Amino acid sequence: PGAAAGSVYVCPSQCNGPEDCGSKLFNCRAPNARRFQYLFGSFSPAEQYWTQFVSLSGAKLAKTIAFVYENEKSFTAAMIDGARTAAYNLGFKIVADIGIAVGGTEAAKPDLLTNLVGDGGIGSDVITRNIKVDGTWQDASVPFVNLINSLDVDVVVGGTYYASCVGLVEAFLASGKLPKSLGVAACVGDPKLYSDLDKDLRWLSGPSQWDERLTGADYTDEPFNPVTHN
């Protein structure tokens, strides 16, 4: 299979018995059961996207972490499920866990999330909220960016697709303050990110499905920094 949320590989919970489950999804015999005895794929499932990034951040002595993700997409939410589990297992302090979406009627006020922070900081509490705002992905990212800039956060992990990735990065750039470490998904390995962000993409991190045997303009790193892969 290709890259997908782990929920794709199990039977839906909203089915009753083999006949109903089988009619809703191929090879299903019971609610929440595994659909396949064996799986082989060349892409990581969503839950594995950020585990190594979080682990490396811990090795670099990062202590605090925040998450932001597209909350209406199962794939991006599953990315953060995996990152959250990895952070918890490694003893990170999770300070914020924010789901965002566009297409809502709520205004993306800059203080939409910072209003949740008390005068004495957040203590041991995790700021958790889902917002759906009117505007672009950059507009939607502004409240989260302002929240992060008001806190002491070592690592920010973004469960993003391309548009939300660019919007999040642009919101950080517009704020004039960057997190110590920012990881974004589904964009770092895309060649068009170079034209959209130019040199600003150099400080980004993120998972990319890549193999050095691939050839062609879409797979070269020459626009960034020519190297020889051994």
Side-chain angles (χ1 to χ4, degrees):
S7 59
V8 170
Y9 308 121
V10 298
C11 299
S13 57
Q14 299 81 13
C15 61
N16 300 299
E19 292 185 3
D20 183 41
C21 293
S23 67
K24 290 188 175 182
L25 199 60
F26 173 74
N27 206 34
C28 280
R29 298 189 177 186
N32 300 313
R34 290 177 56 179
R35 290 176 58 200
F36 309 100
Q37 184 175 3
Y38 303 105
L39 283 174
F40 171 81
S42 56
F43 290 95
S44 302
E47 290 84 353
Q48 297 298 316
Y49 261 51
W50 288 114
T51 55
Q52 296 303 313
F53 177 83
V54 174
S55 178
L56 178 61
S57 298
K60 295 293 184 178
L61 305 181
K63 301 297 183 182
T64 58
I65 194 167
F67 304 114
V68 60
Y69 60 97
E70 290 192 37
N71 61 10
E72 294 186 341
K73 304 293 184 181
S74 61
F75 185 66
T76 51
M79 288 184 202
I80 299 304
D81 285 343
R84 191 184 297 114
T85 298
Y88 177 81
N89 289 339
L90 290 169
F92 275 86
K93 179 182 178 181
I94 301 173
V95 298
D97 196 333
I98 308 297
I100 62 175
V102 296
T105 57
E106 185 176 17
K109 298 178 181 179
D111 62 350
L112 185 61
L113 295 173
T114 51
N115 281 337
L116 302 177
V117 182
D119 293 337
I122 61 173
S124 60
D125 296 329
V126 181
I127 296 179
T128 304
R129 189 174 176 191
N130 289 314
I131 61 173
K132 185 173 184 178
V133 300
D134 179 37
T136 65
W137 279 111
Q138 183 175 351
D139 296 331
S141 299
V142 167
F144 173 78
V145 167
N146 288 345
L147 172 66
I148 296 304
N149 287 345
S150 70
L151 302 171
D152 182 20
V153 182
D154 294 328
V155 182
V156 175
V157 179
T160 59
Y161 279 121
Y162 189 87
S164 53
C165 160
V166 173
L168 179 63
V169 173
E170 289 179 336
F172 270 116
L173 291 171
S175 76
K177 187 176 179 180
L178 304 176
K180 298 173 185 176
S181 178
L182 172 63
V184 283
C187 56
V188 172
D190 194 319
K192 67 181 178 180
L193 193 66
Y194 182 73
S195 59
D196 286 340
L197 293 179
D198 197 40
K199 294 181 180 180
D200 290 325
L201 64 79
R202 291 182 181 272
W203 56 278
L204 300 177
S205 299
S208 180
Q209 312 289 348
W210 184 80
D211 189 303
E212 64 179 9
R213 292 169 295 181
L214 296 173
T215 60
D218 287 345
Y219 306 107
T220 182
D221 53 11
E222 290 180 0
F224 310 106
N225 184 24
V227 295
T228 300
H229 298 281
N230 298 319

